[in-house]
Each structure stands twice: as structure tokens, then as C-alpha cells.
């Protein structure tokens, strides 16, 4: 678990001074699968919205887990992020599920995003598709925060997301091999920042699926904090919590499903911690 190539992420406060007025576009990314990206993107979106922020959640994963998490199967999805990326005439407004929750709109995904990657591969502007659509969105000034859920890869969908984002939030599962892939992700962030999107910075990492009963969780947490440098791993950790595993099948955020459980309490604390860093 060595991170010799890891660049020290930028201070969150430095970032704040330069971009306070603009909508923060937060990519939730980690190329490792099953680390809690979707859980984080969905529950932070819901909690930010509950705190009175205007939030847009964009699903850029062909698995469409974030969409499935929040949108009931009865809600028809007529257009998705696949249509958005492929068809120049389709705008973000055209695909939105508005008021999915109070203050929260969702740009849904579906399986077509898989095929979309192949079609995009031949397009010279392939990495700019999402950025362009976000820029063109008439309502963009109305959103305080945009969260983007990404797939477990560093392919074109994640690069599109990083190109369109101001910040990257990295969930790190508190398990052995936790840092697998993080070095490559940070290298990709560095390249996107250097070549395409100078605004981009790493806002921090969140330790997920933390099991306080195990020595392994404690050891991994302290090693991850060390590897990331102090101040860039949020102090709130998301515990392993069965209610968090159950909530998606009810299409409810953790706050709707069981507001008193440890998972909901952790997400409440994490939202407060992140919001106070962003808006202090
Ligand atoms: N803190 C937690 N405690 C227990 N289960 C969790 C927790 N966080 C997420 N899960 C469950 O673990 C699984 C993986 O989580 P999630 O889908 O958020 O990961 P992901 O990184 O988005 O996965 P993928 O890479 O496939 O997109 C899901 O079934 C989810 O409900
Ligand atoms: Mg996911």
C-alpha cells in the first residue's frame, strides 16, 4: 500500500476562496468497485437537499444504481445520461427527473450508457460532452451542488465526469487493499487537471464501511489517513451498517428508511462536516 506517486491534494479551504460563488460539481469517484460511491453520492445529495441546498444528482454509471436507489420503478425514465452524451440536441433539462425529493433533481442513467461509451470513442470531443451540457443548462445557477456518481473504471464516463467537475470526493473502503486504484485515480485527476480542467481538485476522501470492532478497520483507517496527508480524509467515517445495505431496495435514502440508525447518523455528521468545510 505505497503511494509514492501520490500528490498532496489541494487544501479544501484554498479551493473555497477561488470558487465560492460557483456551483460546486462534485465527482464521487474510485475505480475500485463496491466501495460506497453510489451510497455516498445518493445520501449526501439527499442530506444536502434536506439542509436547504439546491442539488442535482447525475448518474454516470451504466449500472444505474443511483437512479434505482432514489427513483421508484414506476417512474418512467424516458431519457437518460446516455441520450445526453450521444445526442447534441438533448439538454440536461430534457432528461431531468425534477423534484425527485424536495430540492433534489436527478439526471438518471440506464444501461444504454454502456453502448454510449463505444459511440463516444470515435468522437473528437468525447471527454467534453458532459461539461458542455452542464454549461449550457439554463438552470445551472440555481443549483448549489451537483453530485455525479461514476462507474468503477477510469474510462470515458469517468473522464467526462472529471472534465465537468470542480471537485473529486473519493470513498475509500476500510478494507485491506483499500488504496488499490486510488493512486491511478489521483494520477488521472492530475492529468485531467493539467490538460483539460485546471479547476479540478481533490476535496477529500471518506472512509466507508468502517467496522469499529475490527483491528483491521482501525489499522486501515490510520494508514489511509497517513497516505492521504492530514486534513484530506474527513474525520467522520461511514460505518458498516445493514440499514445502509437495505435502503436501496426500498428506493429510500437512509434518512427516509431509518433516520435513527448509525448509518443515517454518520451521513448526517459527514454532510455537516463537508458543508462546513465548503461554506465556512
Ligand atoms: N456503509 C455500508 N454498510 C453496509 N453496506 C453498504 C455500505 N455502503 C454501501 N453498502 C452496500 O454495499 C454495496 C456497494 O456499495 P455501493 O453500490 O455504494 O458501491 P459502489 O462503489 O457504488 O459500487 P460500484 O463500483 O459497483 O458502483 C451496495 O450493496 C450497498 O448497498
Ligand atoms: Mg456505484
Amino acid at each position: 500500500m505505497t503511494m509514492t506517486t501520490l500528490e498532496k491534494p489541494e487544501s479544501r479551504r484554498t479551493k473555497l476562496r477561488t470558487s465560492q460563488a460557483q456551483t460546486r460539481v462534485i465527482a464521487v469517484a474510485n475505480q475500485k468497485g463496491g466501495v460506497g460511491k453510489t451510497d455516498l453520492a445518493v445520501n449526501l445529495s439527499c442530506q444536502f437537499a434536506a439542509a436547504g441546498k439546491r442539488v442535482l444528482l447525475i448518474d454516470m454509471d451504466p449500472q444505474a444504481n443511483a437512479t434505482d436507489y432514489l427513483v421508484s420503478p414506476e417512474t418512467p425514465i424516458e431519457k437518460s445520461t446516455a441520450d445526453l452524451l450521444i445526442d447534441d440536441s438533448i439538454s440536461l433539462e430534457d432528461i431531468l427527473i425534477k423534484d425527485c425529493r424536495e430540492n433534489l433533481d436527478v439526471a438518471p442513467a440506464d444501461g444504454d450508457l454502456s453502448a454510449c461509451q463505444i459511440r463516444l470513442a470515435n468522437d473528437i470531443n468525447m471527454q467534453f460532452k458532459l461539461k458542455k451540457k452542464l454549461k449550457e443548462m439554463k438552470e445551472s445557477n440555481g443549483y448549489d451542488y451537483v453530485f455525479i456518481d461514476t462507474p468503477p473504471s477510469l474510462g470515458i464516463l469517468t473522464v467526462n465526469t472529471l472534465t465537468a467537475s470542480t471537485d473529486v470526493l473519493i470513498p475509500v473502503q476500510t478494507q485491506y487493499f483499500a488504496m488499490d486504484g486510488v493512486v491511478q485515480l489521483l494520477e488521472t485527476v492530475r492529468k485531467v487537471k493539467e490538460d483539460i480542467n485546471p479547476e479540478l481538485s481533490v476535496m477529500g476522501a471518506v472512509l466507508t464501511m468502517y467496522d469499529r470492532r475490527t483491528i483491521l478497520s482501525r489499522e486501515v483507517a490510520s494508514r489511509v489517513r497517513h497516505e492521504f496527508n492530514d486534513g484530506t480524509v474527513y474525520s467522520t467515517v461511514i460505518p458498516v451498517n445493514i440499514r445502509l445495505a437495505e435502503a436501496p431496495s426500498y428506493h429510500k435514502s437512509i434518512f427516509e428508511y431509518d433516520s435513527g440508525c448509525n448509518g443515517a447518523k454518520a451521513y448526517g455528521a459527514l454532510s455537516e462536516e463537508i458543508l462546513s468545510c465548503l461554506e465556512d
Side-chain angles (χ1 to χ4, degrees):
M1 195 163 77
T2 166
M3 297 194 64
T4 45
T5 59
L6 176 60
E7 243 191 25
K8 183 169 177 162
E10 279 174 41
S11 146
R12 284 175 251 151
R13 288 177 197 281
T14 308
K15 173 78 184 175
L16 175 71
R17 280 197 293 276
T18 58
S19 59
Q20 195 157 31
Q22 77 185 94
T23 304
R24 299 290 281 255
V25 182
I26 301 171
V28 181
N30 186 334
Q31 74 188 88
K32 204 160 148 51
V35 298
K37 292 181 287 295
T38 300
D39 212 64
L40 201 57
V42 165
N43 287 305
L44 283 182
S45 292
C46 288
Q47 190 60 1
F48 274 39
K53 309 297 172 194
R54 285 276 301 131
V55 181
L56 167 62
L57 172 62
I58 302 178
D59 193 344
M60 285 288 279
D61 183 356
Q63 297 178 101
N65 292 155
T67 305
D68 185 58
Y69 198 143
L70 281 182
V71 180
S72 86
E74 287 82 52
T75 306
I77 292 174
E78 275 148 24
K79 292 204 161 46
S80 71
T81 43
D83 301 296
L84 182 76
L85 297 180
I86 289 173
D87 188 337
D88 284 343
S89 71
I90 290 180
S91 70
L92 251 170
E93 278 103 337
D94 293 335
I95 71 161
L96 289 185
I97 298 172
K98 290 218 169 210
D99 301 315
C100 186
R101 301 292 188 278
E102 192 176 357
N103 290 329
L104 175 64
D105 298 340
V106 172
D110 60 20
D112 291 351
L113 260 181
S114 286
C116 161
Q117 295 175 86
I118 299 161
R119 290 183 61 178
L120 281 180
N122 296 321
D123 192 317
I124 194 161
N125 290 318
M126 61 182 169
Q127 66 268 55
F128 296 101
K129 296 288 175 186
L130 182 60
K131 188 180 182 89
K132 185 163 177 284
K133 297 295 171 96
L134 262 169
K135 219 169 155 186
E136 287 168 358
M137 185 170 55
K138 295 184 205 87
E139 267 201 17
S140 64
N141 289 336
Y143 292 116
D144 301 304
Y145 294 96
V146 177
F147 283 93
I148 310 179
D149 190 27
T150 61
S153 81
L154 291 176
I156 187 62
L157 297 173
T158 299
V159 171
N160 249 279
T161 301
L162 295 176
T163 304
S165 297
T166 55
D167 300 87
V168 190
L169 184 62
I170 307 173
V172 179
Q173 189 181 4
T174 325
Q175 294 274 330
Y176 191 61
F177 297 132
M179 297 302 286
D180 270 19
V182 174
V183 173
Q184 291 98 311
L185 171 62
L186 291 168
E187 180 58 16
T188 305
V189 170
R190 192 189 61 74
K191 278 196 196 130
V192 169
K193 184 179 166 76
E194 201 172 281
D195 299 344
I196 311 173
N197 179 13
E199 271 198 293
L200 185 65
S201 72
V202 175
M203 62 188 272
V206 176
L207 289 163
T208 62
M209 304 187 208
Y210 182 86
D211 187 347
R212 65 186 167 81
R213 296 164 305 179
T214 67
I215 293 169
L216 178 67
S217 264
R218 289 200 292 274
E219 278 182 3
V220 171
S222 88
R223 289 182 75 174
V224 170
R225 288 187 192 285
H226 175 75
E227 298 283 351
F228 260 95
N229 296 315
D230 287 345
T232 52
V233 180
Y234 291 96
S235 53
T236 309
V237 299
I238 303 301
V240 174
N241 182 243
I242 186 68
R243 308 301 268 169
L244 283 170
E246 290 167 354
S249 61
Y250 292 88
H251 311 288
K252 290 180 172 175
S253 77
I254 194 59
F255 308 102
E256 296 161 335
Y257 182 60
D258 184 353
S259 61
C261 73
N262 285 340
K265 285 180 193 157
Y267 268 112
L270 180 66
S271 302
E272 259 182 46
E273 186 183 355
I274 294 179
L275 271 172
S276 76
C277 286
L278 292 171
E279 298 187 355
D280 246 4

